[in-house]
Amino acid sequence: MAFIFLERHATANGFFFMEPSTQYRQFAEECRRFARLAKTAEQRKILLEMEMVWTKLAEEAEGQAVKDQD
């Protein structure tokens, strides 16, 4: 299995940063893609469960970002 390369942005100190919700959504998409390629129903089930967790984390991160702006 290949992993996606995430788009990252360099910060002033040279480290890379990506919004957590964006990164979580990309992980969710990767799980969906792997689920389509799964060889067994059990693998597919696990990957789709992982996708749901990443999606939930993205939604929570977005909700926290809105709270932080208020």
Side-chain angles (χ1 to χ4, degrees), residues 2-15:
F3 291 92
I4 60 173
F5 291 95
L6 301 175
E7 178 184 338
R8 298 180 185 155
H9 305 283
T11 61
N13 61 7
F15 289 99

Side-chain angles (χ1 to χ4, degrees), residues 12 20 41 50 70:
M50 290 172 60
D70 291 340

Side-chain angles (χ1 to χ4, degrees), residues 1-3 30 33-35 37-39 43 47:
M1 291 186 174
F3 291 92
E30 190 167 309
R33 185 169 51 89
F34 288 150
L37 301 173
K39 294 183 181 194
Q43 289 174 342
L47 287 160

Side-chain angles (χ1 to χ4, degrees), residues 34-57:
F34 288 150
R36 287 191 299 271
L37 301 173
K39 294 183 181 194
T40 68
E42 183 64 19
Q43 289 174 342
R44 189 174 306 104
K45 178 184 172 214
I46 291 167
L47 287 160
L48 292 175
E49 288 172 357
M50 290 172 60
E51 181 269 333
M52 288 189 305
V53 171
W54 283 120
T55 299
K56 182 178 179 191
L57 287 169

Side-chain angles (χ1 to χ4, degrees), residues 7-34:
E7 178 184 338
R8 298 180 185 155
H9 305 283
T11 61
N13 61 7
F15 289 99
F16 290 97
F17 172 76
M18 175 181 271
E19 286 294 326
S21 63
T22 301
Q23 191 169 21
Y24 298 158
R25 289 197 183 279
Q26 288 182 349
F27 290 157
E29 175 55 35
E30 190 167 309
C31 289
R32 280 190 297 275
R33 185 169 51 89
F34 288 150

